[in-house]
PDB file of all heavy atoms in Angstrom:
ATOM      1  N   LEU A  36       1.036  -7.205 -12.009  1.00  0.00           N
ATOM      2  CA  LEU A  36       1.163  -5.981 -12.791  1.00  0.00           C
ATOM      3  C   LEU A  36      -0.165  -5.225 -12.802  1.00  0.00           C
ATOM      4  O   LEU A  36      -1.226  -5.828 -12.964  1.00  0.00           O
ATOM      5  CB  LEU A  36       1.572  -6.304 -14.226  1.00  0.00           C
ATOM      6  CG  LEU A  36       2.974  -6.865 -14.418  1.00  0.00           C
ATOM      7  CD1 LEU A  36       3.169  -7.306 -15.869  1.00  0.00           C
ATOM      8  CD2 LEU A  36       4.032  -5.844 -14.014  1.00  0.00           C
ATOM      9  N   ASP A  37      -0.094  -3.916 -12.637  1.00  0.00           N
ATOM     10  CA  ASP A  37      -1.285  -3.062 -12.708  1.00  0.00           C
ATOM     11  C   ASP A  37      -1.717  -2.977 -14.172  1.00  0.00           C
ATOM     12  O   ASP A  37      -0.888  -2.724 -15.047  1.00  0.00           O
ATOM     13  CB  ASP A  37      -0.938  -1.671 -12.170  1.00  0.00           C
ATOM     14  CG  ASP A  37      -2.156  -0.795 -11.946  1.00  0.00           C
ATOM     15  OD1 ASP A  37      -3.068  -0.799 -12.801  1.00  0.00           O
ATOM     16  OD2 ASP A  37      -2.190  -0.083 -10.928  1.00  0.00           O
ATOM     17  N   ILE A  38      -3.006  -3.191 -14.457  1.00  0.00           N
ATOM     18  CA  ILE A  38      -3.474  -3.150 -15.846  1.00  0.00           C
ATOM     19  C   ILE A  38      -3.718  -1.721 -16.334  1.00  0.00           C
ATOM     20  O   ILE A  38      -3.973  -1.496 -17.513  1.00  0.00           O
ATOM     21  CB  ILE A  38      -4.736  -4.013 -16.086  1.00  0.00           C
ATOM     22  CG1 ILE A  38      -5.909  -3.508 -15.251  1.00  0.00           C
ATOM     23  CG2 ILE A  38      -4.437  -5.471 -15.823  1.00  0.00           C
ATOM     24  CD1 ILE A  38      -7.246  -4.104 -15.667  1.00  0.00           C
ATOM     25  N   GLY A  39      -3.613  -0.751 -15.439  1.00  0.00           N
ATOM     26  CA  GLY A  39      -3.700   0.664 -15.799  1.00  0.00           C
ATOM     27  C   GLY A  39      -2.463   1.375 -15.281  1.00  0.00           C
ATOM     28  O   GLY A  39      -2.564   2.260 -14.441  1.00  0.00           O
ATOM     29  N   PRO A  40      -1.285   0.983 -15.775  1.00  0.00           N
ATOM     30  CA  PRO A  40      -0.035   1.445 -15.158  1.00  0.00           C
ATOM     31  C   PRO A  40       0.252   2.932 -15.371  1.00  0.00           C
ATOM     32  O   PRO A  40      -0.041   3.482 -16.427  1.00  0.00           O
ATOM     33  CB  PRO A  40       1.024   0.603 -15.855  1.00  0.00           C
ATOM     34  CG  PRO A  40       0.437   0.293 -17.193  1.00  0.00           C
ATOM     35  CD  PRO A  40      -1.042   0.139 -16.950  1.00  0.00           C
ATOM     36  N   ILE A  41       0.829   3.545 -14.367  1.00  0.00           N
ATOM     37  CA  ILE A  41       1.334   4.910 -14.479  1.00  0.00           C
ATOM     38  C   ILE A  41       2.649   4.889 -15.257  1.00  0.00           C
ATOM     39  O   ILE A  41       2.975   5.825 -15.965  1.00  0.00           O
ATOM     40  CB  ILE A  41       1.519   5.531 -13.079  1.00  0.00           C
ATOM     41  CG1 ILE A  41       0.157   5.784 -12.447  1.00  0.00           C
ATOM     42  CG2 ILE A  41       2.316   6.818 -13.153  1.00  0.00           C
ATOM     43  CD1 ILE A  41       0.207   6.267 -11.030  1.00  0.00           C
ATOM     44  N   ALA A  42       3.393   3.794 -15.121  1.00  0.00           N
ATOM     45  CA  ALA A  42       4.667   3.620 -15.817  1.00  0.00           C
ATOM     46  C   ALA A  42       4.848   2.131 -16.085  1.00  0.00           C
ATOM     47  O   ALA A  42       4.265   1.290 -15.373  1.00  0.00           O
ATOM     48  CB  ALA A  42       5.810   4.140 -14.952  1.00  0.00           C
ATOM     49  N   PRO A  43       5.643   1.772 -17.088  1.00  0.00           N
ATOM     50  CA  PRO A  43       5.920   0.352 -17.320  1.00  0.00           C
ATOM     51  C   PRO A  43       6.521  -0.292 -16.060  1.00  0.00           C
ATOM     52  O   PRO A  43       7.411   0.280 -15.434  1.00  0.00           O
ATOM     53  CB  PRO A  43       6.936   0.374 -18.465  1.00  0.00           C
ATOM     54  CG  PRO A  43       6.693   1.667 -19.161  1.00  0.00           C
ATOM     55  CD  PRO A  43       6.293   2.630 -18.078  1.00  0.00           C
ATOM     56  N   GLY A  44       5.986  -1.434 -15.683  1.00  0.00           N
ATOM     57  CA  GLY A  44       6.451  -2.119 -14.480  1.00  0.00           C
ATOM     58  C   GLY A  44       5.671  -1.754 -13.231  1.00  0.00           C
ATOM     59  O   GLY A  44       6.007  -2.202 -12.139  1.00  0.00           O
ATOM     60  N   HIS A  45       4.616  -0.960 -13.356  1.00  0.00           N
ATOM     61  CA  HIS A  45       3.782  -0.588 -12.208  1.00  0.00           C
ATOM     62  C   HIS A  45       3.159  -1.866 -11.639  1.00  0.00           C
ATOM     63  O   HIS A  45       2.473  -2.590 -12.338  1.00  0.00           O
ATOM     64  CB  HIS A  45       2.705   0.378 -12.687  1.00  0.00           C
ATOM     65  CG  HIS A  45       1.806   0.920 -11.622  1.00  0.00           C
ATOM     66  ND1 HIS A  45       1.019   2.015 -11.844  1.00  0.00           N
ATOM     67  CD2 HIS A  45       1.525   0.524 -10.351  1.00  0.00           C
ATOM     68  CE1 HIS A  45       0.303   2.286 -10.764  1.00  0.00           C
ATOM     69  NE2 HIS A  45       0.588   1.375  -9.837  1.00  0.00           N
ATOM     70  N   VAL A  46       3.430  -2.125 -10.378  1.00  0.00           N
ATOM     71  CA  VAL A  46       3.024  -3.368  -9.710  1.00  0.00           C
ATOM     72  C   VAL A  46       2.136  -3.046  -8.517  1.00  0.00           C
ATOM     73  O   VAL A  46       2.321  -2.027  -7.858  1.00  0.00           O
ATOM     74  CB  VAL A  46       4.280  -4.145  -9.238  1.00  0.00           C
ATOM     75  CG1 VAL A  46       3.920  -5.321  -8.344  1.00  0.00           C
ATOM     76  CG2 VAL A  46       5.105  -4.602 -10.432  1.00  0.00           C
ATOM     77  N   LEU A  47       1.196  -3.939  -8.237  1.00  0.00           N
ATOM     78  CA  LEU A  47       0.374  -3.855  -7.037  1.00  0.00           C
ATOM     79  C   LEU A  47       0.690  -5.027  -6.127  1.00  0.00           C
ATOM     80  O   LEU A  47       0.800  -6.165  -6.590  1.00  0.00           O
ATOM     81  CB  LEU A  47      -1.112  -3.884  -7.402  1.00  0.00           C
ATOM     82  CG  LEU A  47      -1.594  -2.752  -8.301  1.00  0.00           C
ATOM     83  CD1 LEU A  47      -3.049  -2.974  -8.688  1.00  0.00           C
ATOM     84  CD2 LEU A  47      -1.412  -1.404  -7.634  1.00  0.00           C
ATOM     85  N   VAL A  48       0.846  -4.755  -4.845  1.00  0.00           N
ATOM     86  CA  VAL A  48       1.018  -5.784  -3.817  1.00  0.00           C
ATOM     87  C   VAL A  48      -0.186  -5.654  -2.903  1.00  0.00           C
ATOM     88  O   VAL A  48      -0.442  -4.580  -2.357  1.00  0.00           O
ATOM     89  CB  VAL A  48       2.326  -5.589  -3.025  1.00  0.00           C
ATOM     90  CG1 VAL A  48       2.432  -6.615  -1.904  1.00  0.00           C
ATOM     91  CG2 VAL A  48       3.537  -5.652  -3.950  1.00  0.00           C
ATOM     92  N   ILE A  49      -0.933  -6.752  -2.751  1.00  0.00           N
ATOM     93  CA  ILE A  49      -2.159  -6.719  -1.940  1.00  0.00           C
ATOM     94  C   ILE A  49      -2.144  -7.831  -0.905  1.00  0.00           C
ATOM     95  O   ILE A  49      -1.557  -8.889  -1.134  1.00  0.00           O
ATOM     96  CB  ILE A  49      -3.423  -6.849  -2.815  1.00  0.00           C
ATOM     97  CG1 ILE A  49      -3.527  -8.238  -3.460  1.00  0.00           C
ATOM     98  CG2 ILE A  49      -3.458  -5.757  -3.887  1.00  0.00           C
ATOM     99  CD1 ILE A  49      -4.866  -8.526  -4.126  1.00  0.00           C
ATOM    100  N   PRO A  50      -2.830  -7.607   0.220  1.00  0.00           N
ATOM    101  CA  PRO A  50      -3.103  -8.742   1.092  1.00  0.00           C
ATOM    102  C   PRO A  50      -4.203  -9.571   0.424  1.00  0.00           C
ATOM    103  O   PRO A  50      -5.087  -9.022  -0.237  1.00  0.00           O
ATOM    104  CB  PRO A  50      -3.601  -8.100   2.383  1.00  0.00           C
ATOM    105  CG  PRO A  50      -4.106  -6.754   1.992  1.00  0.00           C
ATOM    106  CD  PRO A  50      -3.338  -6.345   0.761  1.00  0.00           C
ATOM    107  N   LYS A  51      -4.144 -10.870   0.569  1.00  0.00           N
ATOM    108  CA  LYS A  51      -5.184 -11.721  -0.009  1.00  0.00           C
ATOM    109  C   LYS A  51      -6.528 -11.518   0.681  1.00  0.00           C
ATOM    110  O   LYS A  51      -7.577 -11.639   0.050  1.00  0.00           O
ATOM    111  CB  LYS A  51      -4.773 -13.192   0.074  1.00  0.00           C
ATOM    112  CG  LYS A  51      -3.678 -13.551  -0.897  1.00  0.00           C
ATOM    113  CD  LYS A  51      -3.366 -15.030  -0.758  1.00  0.00           C
ATOM    114  CE  LYS A  51      -2.493 -15.529  -1.868  1.00  0.00           C
ATOM    115  NZ  LYS A  51      -2.249 -16.984  -1.714  1.00  0.00           N
ATOM    116  N   ALA A  52      -6.507 -11.203   1.948  1.00  0.00           N
ATOM    117  CA  ALA A  52      -7.739 -10.937   2.686  1.00  0.00           C
ATOM    118  C   ALA A  52      -8.182  -9.507   2.414  1.00  0.00           C
ATOM    119  O   ALA A  52      -7.369  -8.634   2.120  1.00  0.00           O
ATOM    120  CB  ALA A  52      -7.514 -11.149   4.178  1.00  0.00           C
ATOM    121  N   HIS A  53      -9.477  -9.272   2.493  1.00  0.00           N
ATOM    122  CA  HIS A  53     -10.042  -7.959   2.187  1.00  0.00           C
ATOM    123  C   HIS A  53     -10.012  -7.046   3.408  1.00  0.00           C
ATOM    124  O   HIS A  53     -10.662  -7.319   4.424  1.00  0.00           O
ATOM    125  CB  HIS A  53     -11.489  -8.113   1.701  1.00  0.00           C
ATOM    126  CG  HIS A  53     -12.086  -6.811   1.275  1.00  0.00           C
ATOM    127  ND1 HIS A  53     -11.861  -6.272   0.038  1.00  0.00           N
ATOM    128  CD2 HIS A  53     -12.881  -5.936   1.938  1.00  0.00           C
ATOM    129  CE1 HIS A  53     -12.497  -5.122  -0.057  1.00  0.00           C
ATOM    130  NE2 HIS A  53     -13.128  -4.899   1.091  1.00  0.00           N
ATOM    131  N   TYR A  54      -9.260  -5.971   3.274  1.00  0.00           N
ATOM    132  CA  TYR A  54      -9.244  -4.880   4.242  1.00  0.00           C
ATOM    133  C   TYR A  54      -9.301  -3.609   3.415  1.00  0.00           C
ATOM    134  O   TYR A  54      -8.615  -3.495   2.395  1.00  0.00           O
ATOM    135  CB  TYR A  54      -7.978  -4.889   5.099  1.00  0.00           C
ATOM    136  CG  TYR A  54      -7.767  -6.197   5.829  1.00  0.00           C
ATOM    137  CD1 TYR A  54      -6.868  -7.145   5.347  1.00  0.00           C
ATOM    138  CD2 TYR A  54      -8.482  -6.489   6.987  1.00  0.00           C
ATOM    139  CE1 TYR A  54      -6.692  -8.356   6.000  1.00  0.00           C
ATOM    140  CE2 TYR A  54      -8.305  -7.702   7.642  1.00  0.00           C
ATOM    141  CZ  TYR A  54      -7.401  -8.626   7.147  1.00  0.00           C
ATOM    142  OH  TYR A  54      -7.233  -9.821   7.793  1.00  0.00           O
ATOM    143  N   VAL A  55     -10.081  -2.645   3.845  1.00  0.00           N
ATOM    144  CA  VAL A  55     -10.254  -1.426   3.055  1.00  0.00           C
ATOM    145  C   VAL A  55      -9.088  -0.472   3.251  1.00  0.00           C
ATOM    146  O   VAL A  55      -8.542   0.061   2.289  1.00  0.00           O
ATOM    147  CB  VAL A  55     -11.597  -0.741   3.382  1.00  0.00           C
ATOM    148  CG1 VAL A  55     -11.726   0.593   2.652  1.00  0.00           C
ATOM    149  CG2 VAL A  55     -12.757  -1.665   3.014  1.00  0.00           C
ATOM    150  N   THR A  56      -8.689  -0.248   4.498  1.00  0.00           N
ATOM    151  CA  THR A  56      -7.596   0.675   4.787  1.00  0.00           C
ATOM    152  C   THR A  56      -6.533   0.004   5.647  1.00  0.00           C
ATOM    153  O   THR A  56      -6.799  -0.985   6.338  1.00  0.00           O
ATOM    154  CB  THR A  56      -8.107   1.957   5.490  1.00  0.00           C
ATOM    155  OG1 THR A  56      -8.829   1.586   6.670  1.00  0.00           O
ATOM    156  CG2 THR A  56      -8.996   2.773   4.562  1.00  0.00           C
ATOM    157  N   LEU A  57      -5.347   0.568   5.616  1.00  0.00           N
ATOM    158  CA  LEU A  57      -4.188  -0.045   6.271  1.00  0.00           C
ATOM    159  C   LEU A  57      -4.380  -0.244   7.773  1.00  0.00           C
ATOM    160  O   LEU A  57      -3.906  -1.227   8.337  1.00  0.00           O
ATOM    161  CB  LEU A  57      -2.944   0.802   5.997  1.00  0.00           C
ATOM    162  CG  LEU A  57      -1.602   0.224   6.405  1.00  0.00           C
ATOM    163  CD1 LEU A  57      -1.334  -1.112   5.723  1.00  0.00           C
ATOM    164  CD2 LEU A  57      -0.482   1.206   6.096  1.00  0.00           C
ATOM    165  N   ASP A  58      -5.108   0.652   8.421  1.00  0.00           N
ATOM    166  CA  ASP A  58      -5.311   0.532   9.867  1.00  0.00           C
ATOM    167  C   ASP A  58      -6.152  -0.689  10.252  1.00  0.00           C
ATOM    168  O   ASP A  58      -6.176  -1.089  11.407  1.00  0.00           O
ATOM    169  CB  ASP A  58      -5.941   1.806  10.439  1.00  0.00           C
ATOM    170  CG  ASP A  58      -7.278   2.146   9.809  1.00  0.00           C
ATOM    171  OD1 ASP A  58      -7.405   2.032   8.567  1.00  0.00           O
ATOM    172  OD2 ASP A  58      -8.202   2.539  10.550  1.00  0.00           O
ATOM    173  N   GLN A  59      -6.814  -1.314   9.291  1.00  0.00           N
ATOM    174  CA  GLN A  59      -7.613  -2.521   9.541  1.00  0.00           C
ATOM    175  C   GLN A  59      -6.798  -3.808   9.408  1.00  0.00           C
ATOM    176  O   GLN A  59      -7.253  -4.877   9.824  1.00  0.00           O
ATOM    177  CB  GLN A  59      -8.776  -2.589   8.546  1.00  0.00           C
ATOM    178  CG  GLN A  59      -9.742  -1.445   8.648  1.00  0.00           C
ATOM    179  CD  GLN A  59     -10.756  -1.437   7.516  1.00  0.00           C
ATOM    180  OE1 GLN A  59     -10.704  -2.249   6.597  1.00  0.00           O
ATOM    181  NE2 GLN A  59     -11.705  -0.514   7.584  1.00  0.00           N
ATOM    182  N   VAL A  60      -5.610  -3.711   8.826  1.00  0.00           N
ATOM    183  CA  VAL A  60      -4.810  -4.895   8.498  1.00  0.00           C
ATOM    184  C   VAL A  60      -4.089  -5.408   9.743  1.00  0.00           C
ATOM    185  O   VAL A  60      -3.374  -4.645  10.405  1.00  0.00           O
ATOM    186  CB  VAL A  60      -3.786  -4.570   7.387  1.00  0.00           C
ATOM    187  CG1 VAL A  60      -2.945  -5.785   7.044  1.00  0.00           C
ATOM    188  CG2 VAL A  60      -4.494  -4.038   6.144  1.00  0.00           C
ATOM    189  N   PRO A  61      -4.227  -6.693  10.070  1.00  0.00           N
ATOM    190  CA  PRO A  61      -3.480  -7.249  11.192  1.00  0.00           C
ATOM    191  C   PRO A  61      -1.969  -7.118  10.961  1.00  0.00           C
ATOM    192  O   PRO A  61      -1.500  -7.176   9.807  1.00  0.00           O
ATOM    193  CB  PRO A  61      -3.890  -8.729  11.208  1.00  0.00           C
ATOM    194  CG  PRO A  61      -5.188  -8.774  10.467  1.00  0.00           C
ATOM    195  CD  PRO A  61      -5.113  -7.683   9.439  1.00  0.00           C
ATOM    196  N   ALA A  62      -1.223  -6.949  12.035  1.00  0.00           N
ATOM    197  CA  ALA A  62       0.224  -6.724  11.938  1.00  0.00           C
ATOM    198  C   ALA A  62       0.931  -7.813  11.124  1.00  0.00           C
ATOM    199  O   ALA A  62       1.823  -7.513  10.326  1.00  0.00           O
ATOM    200  CB  ALA A  62       0.832  -6.622  13.335  1.00  0.00           C
ATOM    201  N   GLU A  63       0.538  -9.060  11.301  1.00  0.00           N
ATOM    202  CA  GLU A  63       1.180 -10.162  10.583  1.00  0.00           C
ATOM    203  C   GLU A  63       0.990 -10.023   9.066  1.00  0.00           C
ATOM    204  O   GLU A  63       1.906 -10.269   8.285  1.00  0.00           O
ATOM    205  CB  GLU A  63       0.596 -11.500  11.059  1.00  0.00           C
ATOM    206  CG  GLU A  63       1.125 -12.709  10.309  1.00  0.00           C
ATOM    207  CD  GLU A  63       0.433 -14.013  10.719  1.00  0.00           C
ATOM    208  OE1 GLU A  63      -0.582 -13.978  11.457  1.00  0.00           O
ATOM    209  OE2 GLU A  63       0.915 -15.057  10.276  1.00  0.00           O
ATOM    210  N   VAL A  64      -0.179  -9.603   8.647  1.00  0.00           N
ATOM    211  CA  VAL A  64      -0.474  -9.446   7.223  1.00  0.00           C
ATOM    212  C   VAL A  64       0.239  -8.211   6.675  1.00  0.00           C
ATOM    213  O   VAL A  64       0.800  -8.244   5.572  1.00  0.00           O
ATOM    214  CB  VAL A  64      -1.998  -9.375   6.977  1.00  0.00           C
ATOM    215  CG1 VAL A  64      -2.317  -9.105   5.517  1.00  0.00           C
ATOM    216  CG2 VAL A  64      -2.666 -10.663   7.453  1.00  0.00           C
ATOM    217  N   ALA A  65       0.241  -7.121   7.441  1.00  0.00           N
ATOM    218  CA  ALA A  65       0.964  -5.913   7.025  1.00  0.00           C
ATOM    219  C   ALA A  65       2.453  -6.214   6.877  1.00  0.00           C
ATOM    220  O   ALA A  65       3.096  -5.768   5.918  1.00  0.00           O
ATOM    221  CB  ALA A  65       0.732  -4.791   8.027  1.00  0.00           C
ATOM    222  N   ALA A  66       2.991  -6.978   7.808  1.00  0.00           N
ATOM    223  CA  ALA A  66       4.412  -7.350   7.741  1.00  0.00           C
ATOM    224  C   ALA A  66       4.693  -8.202   6.505  1.00  0.00           C
ATOM    225  O   ALA A  66       5.734  -8.041   5.854  1.00  0.00           O
ATOM    226  CB  ALA A  66       4.828  -8.089   9.010  1.00  0.00           C
ATOM    227  N   ALA A  67       3.770  -9.084   6.157  1.00  0.00           N
ATOM    228  CA  ALA A  67       3.947  -9.920   4.968  1.00  0.00           C
ATOM    229  C   ALA A  67       3.960  -9.056   3.709  1.00  0.00           C
ATOM    230  O   ALA A  67       4.773  -9.282   2.794  1.00  0.00           O
ATOM    231  CB  ALA A  67       2.845 -10.974   4.889  1.00  0.00           C
TER     232      ALA A  67
END
Side-chain angles (χ1 to χ4, degrees):
L36 292 173
D37 191 318
I38 62 167
I41 290 175
H45 183 164
V46 171
L47 300 175
V48 176
I49 67 169
K51 287 181 168 182
H53 184 82
Y54 304 101
V55 175
T56 56
L57 189 58
D58 59 317
Q59 298 171 356
V60 180
E63 176 185 9
V64 176

